[in-house]
Amino acid sequence: MQYPAFCKELIPLILCTACLHPEPKERDQLLHILFNLIKRPDDEQRQMILTGCVAFARHVGPTRVEAELLPQCWEQISHKYPERRLLVAESCGSLAPYLPKEIRSSLVLSMLQQMLMEDKADLVREAVIKSLGIIMGYIDDPDKYQQGFELLLSALGDPSERVVSATHQVFLPAYAAWTTELGNLQSHLIPTLLSKIEKLLREGEHGLDEHKLHMYLSALQSLIPSLFALVLQNAPFTSKAKLQGEIPQIEVTRFPRPVSPLQDVATIIGSREQLAVLLQLYDYQLEHEGTTGWDTLLWVVNQLLPQLIEIVGKINVASTACVHEFSRFFWRLCRTFGKIFTNTKVKPQFQEILRLSEENVDATAGNGVLTKATVPIYATGVLTCYIQEEDRKLLVGFLEDVMTMLSLSHAPLDSLKASFVELGANPAYHELLLTVLWYGVVHTSALVRCTAARMFELLVKGVHETLVAQRVVPALITLSSDPEISVRIATIPAFGTIMETVTQRELLERVKMQLASFLEDPQYQDQHSLHTEIIKTFGRVGPNAEPRFRDEFVIPHLHKLALVNNQQSADSKRLDIATHLFEAYSALSCCFISEDLMVNHFLPGLRCLRNDMETLSPEHEVILSSMIKECEQKVENRSVQEPQGSMSIAASLVSEDTKTKFLNKMGQLTTSGAMLANVFQRKK
């Protein structure tokens, strides 16, 4: 029978009777009715039942709660309706303060563990996590610490974002408080998470589990407020921290925004006023009296930081996600521990490792510390913490030094690129990055100027068109007339990216003129490297470039380059250009091409390319012949059936037989089978 409309009247009656009735059997039946009163109780109805249960628990005491209420929860732990299981999960937390302590840390903990591991409903597991947070506030059995840690890892690894979020907001801060009370924060919890990260990196040389890395690192990040609170509460000045006189104000931006109130340092310390007094003493101690005897802080400086910096050196610099994660971690660590700590304890440790001198970059192996993720994480996680003028100057100087050193020692640029990608995601740093690149544009070394030219390509996509027009294009035009041909060639990818991303007509014309000069100026006619770079750039940006630029400039020039390549006497150079042309034509084949352009440029270019491949790479020639045949057939069909208009080679390759035939042939190639397979998916 259902009584949802009468719940407000029924629930107090049932509970009062259950409290006062002398017969255990009758009390059991009444509580059974309470938990089964509503088939699928909603949030408000569950809250009424829980409020009633808490009132009952306060009145009857721990023994009866254990004997009478808990069995009702246990009965419904596997109920078919998630709303009933939610009621159980929420009851475990609500009743925790009113249960015998040994039951809290045994039966109730086991019930919640079972539901976390087995329940398929995200909402139920989320409620379990919140109840675990409450339970952690009451457990005082140190033997349950390890079980709590295993539950924490399970919760952090839950497939539901809701559950993980609740873990960071409630369970982890509560567990951290208990861990701190047990003295395990610095001796077990943080070191264990660090060890797990190190193990992941050791095992992940051929493929890092980035999800697990995120799981452990986000947990460490959520522990930063607890760690800082521990440092403050165990400082030499703690006994002096008295709430008397005028209490200093804490700057609004002093700490990063906490994920939840339980991660607020003021909450952990006890009050905002107490925190303000401790912070004032903390800054004075660091600046004037040092860290002697301050064991909790010395652990951060001498154990945690060196281990973190070592870990950072092992992560893959090309993994944008990993670099971002560690960057955010260091940013929160530095902002929480403050500016004096960052300047006197964090920066010197990074600077010691990143000593910017030539011997620190191995030009042959390219494995110097400046090529590692240490560079972008220091630049974006530590040097961006504070944004006063001297801080910005330090960041600019560091990036300029890294750019110079990597260039002069012929080392890979991945660490510099990672720094630009991470910083470039925030428009506030665009001017700063352009300042760094201008330093490279006017550098005396052609190697540094080359690097600057390559780095512009990364910035173009995220920078506002006004900055592209005012700062980027003038710099690239300067470099495109550099005395060194290698510098001029290095500007081509950036010019190409501008053609792909910018809409201003005047700007596009300036870039087009520069690319035209590279293609048409007689001084470049034998520049194999320049032609290779242009073809690669056309293949990359052509499909996404403005159609007019593609039709009037890219495709006609590819035709010319294919024609010239037929006359190339050196087979190695001829095959190199032909291979890049093959990739470019493969990419452009997904675009809509007018019949006129198809007949006058695209098909003739393909035929020239086929001439090269006949002798140099017969397997490519087979695919080119098929492409040409399909294009010719389509042109012929169009001429008969429809008025002249736009067409797409991709559209002409739609029959299943054709797809199968092409893909079978492409599977034989090592250079571009995968790329050509995309012809059938991409549409422009």
Side-chain angles (χ1 to χ4, degrees), residues 239-257:
S239 58
K240 300 180 204 167
K242 301 282 188 277
L243 289 172
Q244 55 192 25
E246 192 177 336
I247 304 296
Q249 289 294 307
I250 302 173
E251 285 181 38
V252 179
T253 57
R254 170 62 183 81
F255 292 101
R257 188 188 298 276

Side-chain angles (χ1 to χ4, degrees), residues 2 36 50 54 66 203 210 257 270 340 405 414 423 446 461 479 588 600-601 609 628 656:
Q2 297 297 296
N36 292 275
L50 289 171
V54 168
E66 178 194 347
E203 293 171 350
E210 288 189 4
R257 188 188 298 276
I340 298 168
M405 291 310 309
D414 294 342
L423 289 168
K461 286 190 177 180
L479 291 170
L588 288 164
N600 293 324
H601 290 295
L609 183 54
I628 290 165
E656 288 304 314

Side-chain angles (χ1 to χ4, degrees), residues 50 67-68 136 139 175 191 202 356 362 397 532 558 570 580 641 681:
L50 289 171
E68 297 175 21
M136 287 301 142
I139 287 183
Y175 184 71
R202 276 197 308 275
L356 295 166
D362 186 331
T532 302
L558 283 175
H580 289 300
Q641 295 170 13
Q681 280 83 46

Side-chain angles (χ1 to χ4, degrees), residues 119-371:
D119 206 294
K120 290 181 170 57
D122 295 355
L123 279 170
V124 175
R125 297 198 308 282
E126 182 186 12
V128 166
I129 292 301
K130 290 176 179 175
S131 288
L132 277 170
I134 297 169
I135 292 286
M136 287 301 142
Y138 288 98
I139 287 183
D140 54 8
D141 179 0
D143 292 342
K144 296 295 175 184
Y145 171 79
Q146 191 59 37
Q147 185 181 354
F149 182 65
E150 284 157 16
L151 281 168
L152 175 64
L153 292 182
S154 297
L156 288 166
D158 194 276
S160 165
E161 190 52 49
R162 295 180 71 108
V163 176
V164 174
S165 178
T167 304
H168 284 283
Q169 289 178 22
V170 181
F171 183 21
L172 184 57
Y175 184 71
W178 184 39
T179 303
T180 302
E181 202 178 291
L182 294 173
N184 288 348
L185 188 67
Q186 291 184 334
S187 64
H188 178 268
L189 184 53
I190 292 174
T192 306
L193 289 168
L194 284 169
S195 298
K196 287 185 177 295
I197 289 174
E198 286 176 325
K199 188 179 178 209
L200 270 184
L201 293 169
R202 276 197 308 275
E203 293 171 350
E205 288 177 5
H206 305 296
L208 179 65
D209 186 337
E210 288 189 4
H211 173 72
K212 274 199 171 171
L213 179 69
H214 167 76
M215 176 180 128
Y216 297 138
L217 193 58
S218 63
L220 276 174
Q221 187 166 294
S222 290
L223 289 169
I224 291 171
S226 299
L227 179 62
F228 185 59
L230 178 71
V231 166
L232 290 180
Q233 289 167 328
N234 290 273
F237 52 75
T238 307
S239 58
K240 300 180 204 167
K242 301 282 188 277
L243 289 172
Q244 55 192 25
E246 192 177 336
I247 304 296
Q249 289 294 307
I250 302 173
E251 285 181 38
V252 179
T253 57
R254 170 62 183 81
F255 292 101
R257 188 188 298 276
V259 174
S260 75
L262 293 179
Q263 282 197 34
D264 189 329
V265 180
T267 305
I268 301 167
I269 290 292
S271 72
R272 198 156 180 83
E273 293 73 23
Q274 185 67 21
L275 175 60
V277 171
L278 286 169
L279 280 176
Q280 192 175 44
L281 293 166
Y282 168 79
D283 284 342
Y284 184 85
Q285 180 84 23
L286 279 179
E287 201 164 7
H288 302 291
E289 296 180 8
T291 57
T292 308
W294 194 351
D295 292 344
T296 50
L297 186 77
L298 287 170
W299 180 86
V300 176
V301 175
N302 298 329
Q303 292 187 54
L304 179 64
L305 278 174
Q307 194 173 355
L308 282 168
I309 293 170
E310 189 181 345
I311 286 170
V312 157
K314 292 174 184 171
I315 72 167
N316 181 3
V317 71
S319 169
T320 309
C322 287
V323 169
H324 178 73
E325 292 267 340
F326 274 98
S327 169
R328 293 304 85 201
F329 175 84
F330 270 99
W331 189 88
R332 289 190 88 88
L333 182 77
C334 292
R335 288 296 303 223
T336 302
F337 277 77
K339 188 163 189 176
I340 298 168
F341 181 86
T342 301
N343 288 339
T344 61
K345 307 299 178 191
V346 183
K347 287 179 184 175
Q349 290 202 34
F350 272 100
Q351 286 161 356
E352 176 65 24
I353 286 166
L354 292 166
R355 278 179 298 189
L356 295 166
S357 57
E358 287 191 48
E359 63 269 14
N360 280 334
V361 178
D362 186 331
T364 52
N367 62 355
V369 71
L370 289 187
T371 64

Side-chain angles (χ1 to χ4, degrees), residues 3-16 37 48:
Y3 308 97
F6 306 108
C7 283
K8 286 182 182 175
E9 291 80 12
L10 269 176
I11 291 171
L13 280 173
I14 292 169
L15 284 161
C16 283
L37 190 62
M48 280 194 287

